[in-house]
Amino acid sequence: MTTDSRDAERHLLTEIAALYFLEQVTQEELAKRFAMSRAKIGRLLKRAREEGIVEITVRPHPSAVSEMEEEFRQRFGLSRLLISTDHRDPDTQRSAVASLVAAYLNRVLDDGMIVAVGMGRNVGAVADNITSPAPRAVTFVSAIGGSMRAGGYMNPDHICRRLAARFGGESETLYAPALVANPELKAALIGQDTVKHTLDRARRADLALIGVGDVSEDSNMVRMGWFSPSEVAEARLSGTIGDMMGYDFIDIEGRPSNTAMQGRIIGLTMAELRRIPDVIAIASETTKAAGILGALRTGTINTLATSTSNAHTVRSLDDATRGHRSPPLD
């Protein structure tokens, strides 16, 4: 197929899709207009969705979102809740949640702002779902070190570069590994001038994008080789239910958990995150409900982006575990 014929085919797909989805022309009318069978029109509309010409978004009813958001404000002191409809496919779910965060960034980012950026698939998906942003002089700073095993998609410096490219801003890499062998080595690296400079800038951020991790033998931390399945199993037995961007492991009450995995990550601490005006936590997977609840109870998160089912599960878990709880510790 020549370039001209491919262009003509894409133009036809776009024209048919626009008529059907935007002007409500029926498939029968399209079949007559383009001298095709209804079956072929149906196949072309399906191709238009598969090739990204058409994107269909279904959102929860605004009144339901508003009610849930108000409830989360009262329960957790949350500033805003971004919830997507539920999808069976994990990648589709991740993209749906990330698109809400992308749209939020489009609304609130302004020239001169700094965004501290974490790692992970959910944070990485935000950069891929930003559409038609106005150029803004925003700086995206890595708030955690990198990992060779994470790959480009999940590493914070790559995510920063993609975000900067979308908005026409700048990015800054944290030149340090995400995980080190022990707290002593962590302390030495954090005191190094280059690392300190980047972390200091991340501490001055206006917003932070972080993921919420679950503690399981199939978690990203195990797949990347940070921790062994036995270390994760031991952490779970000690009450660890999740982490916030890999640097703070927490229990269901939002308190730092007692695990040997703690204190080895080069990045912002939970106390430092709390001083950032808007910490946006992104978690799309259904396995992360307990981690989300623990993260909310830390008092660190201002904006939560997740699925409808996760929001309902978190609310139920909060009801089931609520009692006379001591406040979270720094």
Side-chain angles (χ1 to χ4, degrees):
M1 184 181 292
T2 66
T3 301
D4 288 344
S5 60
R6 281 196 297 269
D7 288 344
E9 189 174 55
R10 281 194 290 265
H11 178 77
L12 177 64
L13 283 173
T14 303
E15 184 179 4
I16 289 174
L19 289 168
Y20 181 75
F21 289 103
L22 299 180
E23 299 184 25
Q24 287 75 53
V25 178
T26 67
Q27 291 191 32
E28 185 174 351
E29 291 172 326
L30 289 171
K32 291 177 181 177
R33 184 179 301 190
F34 291 93
M36 298 177 185
S37 67
R38 280 192 62 180
K40 184 169 183 180
I41 291 293
R43 288 194 296 272
L44 290 174
L45 290 171
K46 183 181 178 182
R47 270 188 59 194
R49 292 194 297 272
E50 291 172 346
E51 295 183 14
I53 294 171
V54 174
E55 292 183 359
I56 299 174
T57 302
V58 180
R59 293 188 174 90
H61 194 279
S63 63
V65 173
S66 183
E67 289 173 10
M68 183 70 81
E69 185 174 48
E70 181 57 33
E71 186 169 357
F72 270 57
R73 280 196 183 106
Q74 293 178 11
R75 284 177 182 257
F76 308 112
L78 203 66
S79 298
R80 65 195 57 81
L81 177 66
L82 307 174
I83 52 175
S84 80
T85 50
D86 294 324
H87 300 273
R88 283 180 290 183
D89 177 66
D91 292 332
T92 303
Q93 185 69 76
R94 189 176 301 111
S95 180
V97 173
S99 67
L100 296 177
V101 179
Y104 176 65
L105 292 179
N106 247 336
R107 293 195 302 272
V108 302
L109 288 185
D110 205 353
D111 288 346
M113 281 188 169
I114 298 173
V115 180
V117 179
M119 70 172 3
R121 290 177 294 181
N122 286 292
V123 179
V126 174
D128 297 336
N129 282 275
I130 292 169
T131 56
S132 305
R136 271 158 281 190
V138 176
T139 301
F140 299 90
V141 182
S142 299
I144 184 173
S147 171
M148 287 180 63
R149 295 187 182 184
Y153 185 80
M154 295 198 302
N155 259 312
D157 61 324
H158 287 258
I159 299 171
C160 283
R161 290 172 197 167
R162 298 204 305 273
L163 286 166
R166 297 289 193 277
F167 285 101
E170 298 179 346
S171 66
E172 184 169 335
T173 299
L174 177 59
Y175 290 104
L179 176 74
V180 294
N182 53 64
E184 292 75 24
L185 182 53
K186 171 184 175 177
L189 278 172
I190 285 180
Q192 199 269 340
D193 285 347
T194 302
V195 173
K196 184 177 183 301
H197 175 274
T198 301
L199 286 177
D200 281 345
R201 199 165 193 196
R203 292 179 185 111
R204 298 195 301 271
D206 301 280
L207 296 92
L209 294 175
I210 71 168
V212 175
D214 58 337
V215 179
S216 71
E217 288 79 357
D218 190 44
S219 68
N220 280 332
M221 291 181 292
V222 174
R223 286 198 294 269
M224 289 189 297
W226 285 16
F227 305 108
S228 68
S230 61
E231 286 177 305
V232 169
E234 185 178 341
R236 289 175 67 183
L237 287 173
S238 72
T240 305
I241 50 86
D243 71 85
M244 297 174 64
M245 203 167 68
Y247 28 64
D248 280 294
F249 293 93
I250 52 177
D251 65 15
I252 194 69
E253 307 295 352
R255 297 182 296 240
S257 58
N258 182 20
T259 170
M261 300 192 309
Q262 201 80 272
R264 296 166 53 193
I265 303 296
I266 306 296
L268 297 183
T269 65
M270 194 188 302
E272 289 167 339
L273 278 174
R274 279 199 198 102
R275 292 193 283 270
I276 294 175
D278 190 0
V279 176
I280 306 166
I282 313 156
S284 64
E285 297 85 353
T286 56
T287 58
K288 294 183 175 179
I292 294 169
L293 176 58
L296 287 170
R297 286 174 170 175
T298 67
T300 304
I301 296 170
N302 307 99
T303 300
L304 172 65
T306 192
S307 66
T308 301
S309 61
N310 270 348
H312 285 288
T313 303
V314 167
R315 182 176 61 182
S316 298
L317 280 173
D318 186 48
D319 287 337
T321 59
R322 185 182 294 179
H324 298 289
R325 299 186 285 111
S326 57
L329 304 174
D330 284 352

